[in-house]
Amino acid sequence: MTTDDPRLPRSDLPRWNRTVRYYTSRLAVALLMRLLFRLRVEGRENLPAGPALLCFAHLSWMDPFLLFATLPLRPRLYLFGPKEDDLRVGPRNQLMYWTGAPVPFKPAKTDLLETTRRVQAVFSAGGVLAIAGEGRIHVGERALLPLQAGAAYFALRAGVPMVPVALNGLSWLGFRRRLRVRVGVPIEASGRPTSEAIAALTARTEAALLALVADAPDVARPGRFGLWLTDRFNDWPEGSRAAAEAAAAAQPVASGILPIDPDQD
C-alpha cells in the first residue's frame, strides 16, 4: 500500500520512483549479503502481515542491511534513523537517502513531534518500521542495553504490535560467517501511551529480546579485513569498542528518550 502522504520518506519523488528504488535496494542488498555471509531466519511466521514495529537488538552498523536482506519485501520496510541533520551529506547517508527507507531524526532532538508524525505516516501507509530499541550499539551477543521508551511509545500511539527481533553474529564480521535473525512473538500494544503503559511494554519487549539472544554463541575475532569491516561505520558513544567493552564490564549503560509527553495523544 502506497500513499502520497508528504511525511513519508522521499515523498518528493513520484510513487513509481520510490517503488523502484525500494525493490532495487532490497534485492541488491539481499544479493550482496548472501554472497558475503550465511543468513538464517528463525520465527518468520511471527511477522505480522500488516503494520508493525520491529524492535531489534543493535550490535553493528550492518544490522539494517541484515534486515533488508532477510525480511519480506511486503509490507514495505522502513528504518528509524539515522540520527542526522541532513541525510544528503556523506556517502553512507546519501546511499540510505536514495533508498527512501530511513525515517531520520535530528541529533539535537528538536524535531520530535515531526518525527512522531513521520512514524505514524509509515504505519498509516501499511508499512513496517524497524527501530534499534537501545538507541545505540552494544557489545556482547547475549547482552542488551536498557531499551529506550520511544519504541513502545510509537507502537502504543499507533496501536501496532511490537515485534522483538534478535540479530546475532554481527559482533565480529567475517566472510561466510553465520548471521542469525530471530523473530519473536508479537506483543500487543493497545491503549493510551501513558507512562505506565510505555514502561510495561518496554519491559515486556526487553524481556523478550533477552530470551531471544540467550543462546547466541560468542563470535571469534576475524582476520584483518573482518576487523576493518566490523568497525568501519560503528559509532561507539564511548569513542571505541575497547572503551565500550570496559564500560559494559563495569556497569550496563542505561539511556532513555521519550519522543514527546507520554500522556499526550
Side-chain angles (χ1 to χ4, degrees):
M1 178 177 179
T2 307
T3 74
D4 291 319
D5 192 320
R7 296 192 177 96
L8 282 173
R10 296 313 311 266
S11 58
D12 57 303
L13 298 173
R15 187 182 309 179
W16 67 265
N17 192 304
R18 297 199 302 270
T19 299
V20 169
R21 291 185 184 213
Y22 173 74
Y23 285 107
T24 299
S25 58
R26 288 292 307 268
L27 295 175
V29 168
L31 176 61
L32 180 59
M33 290 290 287
R34 292 182 185 280
L35 287 174
L36 291 175
F37 309 105
R38 293 178 297 139
L39 309 183
R40 178 177 178 179
V41 181
E42 300 176 2
R44 190 185 298 270
E45 67 278 4
N46 291 326
L47 290 169
L53 192 149
L54 311 182
C55 183
F56 65 91
H58 197 12
L59 272 173
S60 165
W61 66 271
M62 189 72 77
D63 294 350
F65 296 96
L66 179 57
L67 294 174
F68 246 45
T70 55
L71 294 181
L73 291 174
R74 304 294 295 175
R76 183 170 295 198
L77 175 63
Y78 295 88
L79 306 168
F80 187 70
K83 184 169 58 176
E84 298 286 351
D85 283 314
D86 190 349
L87 274 181
R88 294 167 294 184
V89 177
R92 183 181 59 157
N93 289 341
Q94 289 173 348
L95 176 61
M96 296 180 68
Y97 181 72
W98 185 89
T99 68
V103 179
F105 60 97
K106 295 184 182 299
K109 307 181 185 72
T110 56
D111 63 338
L112 297 179
L113 183 57
E114 183 57 31
T115 297
T116 302
R117 290 169 175 163
R118 288 196 290 265
V119 168
Q120 183 61 50
V122 166
F123 296 138
S124 297
V128 168
L129 181 69
I131 180 171
E134 301 153 283
R136 52 155 293 174
I137 57 176
H138 70 264
V139 294
E141 292 286 331
R142 296 178 298 278
L144 186 72
L145 293 172
L147 298 185
Q148 298 181 349
Y153 172 81
F154 290 144
L156 285 164
R157 187 178 188 276
V160 300
M162 175 88 84
V163 184
V165 180
L167 307 181
N168 287 111
L170 299 107
S171 291
W172 297 107
L173 300 173
F175 183 64
R176 300 306 295 167
R177 288 193 173 188
R178 172 76 70 186
L179 304 183
R180 185 184 73 181
V181 178
R182 178 177 282 178
V183 183
V185 177
I187 303 171
E188 182 182 3
S190 59
R192 286 172 50 83
T194 62
S195 299
E196 293 77 13
I198 291 171
L201 181 56
T202 299
R204 290 184 64 190
T205 306
E206 188 170 315
L209 281 172
L210 285 170
L212 291 172
V213 302
D215 66 344
D218 292 324
V219 180
R221 289 172 65 93
R224 181 178 301 178
F225 174 75
L227 290 174
W228 173 85
L229 181 64
T230 296
D231 276 332
R232 179 65 182 88
F233 295 111
N234 276 344
D235 182 13
W236 297 103
E238 294 85 359
S240 68
R241 175 184 289 272
E245 290 174 342
Q251 181 179 353
V253 179
S255 59
I257 168 179
L258 198 59
I260 60 174
D261 182 353
D263 294 316
Q264 178 177 343
D265 283 333

